[in-house]
Amino acid sequence: MEKLFVNFYETGKPSATVCHSTSLLLEAKKSNGELLIKDKTWTGFADAEEEFADQAVGMKIQAYRIETEAKKIAGTSSKFRHRLVLMLFKM
């Protein structure tokens, strides 16, 4: 999945991730070996959203937190907010 996404990106095709698919950005590398998100600002599921979702279903859904893992990556920045997803859950 990461290779397909990067191929779209590198060939100029529209490329977007939604919801938990942003986790592919944690490891996706361009053809030159650099992380796709190097020197970019991106966003994904916030830790608070993960906790909310886990509580809603009564179990841990994902083994890791995208926000926590993103903060470990040097050379990139990430912004995480949880308002949108909380609003979607309330609907």
Side-chain angles (χ1 to χ4, degrees):
M1 183 61 90
E2 292 167 11
K3 288 181 181 182
L4 179 63
F5 186 85
V6 170
N7 179 270
F8 267 58
Y9 176 84
E10 290 187 324
T11 57
K13 295 177 183 173
S15 309
T17 62
V18 179
C19 198
H20 281 86
S21 66
T22 59
S23 63
L24 76 86
L25 298 174
L26 296 170
E27 297 181 2
K29 292 184 179 175
K30 296 186 285 186
S31 56
N32 67 4
E34 289 183 342
L35 279 175
L36 179 64
I37 57 173
K38 183 177 184 245
D39 299 326
K40 293 182 176 47
T41 300
W42 62 288
T43 190
F45 239 58
D47 288 353
E49 293 172 307
E50 298 283 8
E51 293 297 326
F52 182 82
D54 289 352
Q55 289 176 10
V57 298
M59 61 183 277
K60 191 169 183 175
I61 298 171
Q62 188 161 307
Y64 60 90
R65 301 288 189 239
I66 298 169
E67 178 180 7
T68 298
E69 296 303 311
K71 289 178 180 178
K72 296 177 186 177
I73 301 172
T76 186
S77 63
S78 51
K79 297 180 180 186
F80 293 85
R81 295 196 174 103
H82 65 278
R83 290 185 202 135
L84 175 62
V85 173
L86 291 178
M87 287 175 25
L88 292 175
F89 276 118
K90 289 179 182 177
M91 294 172 92

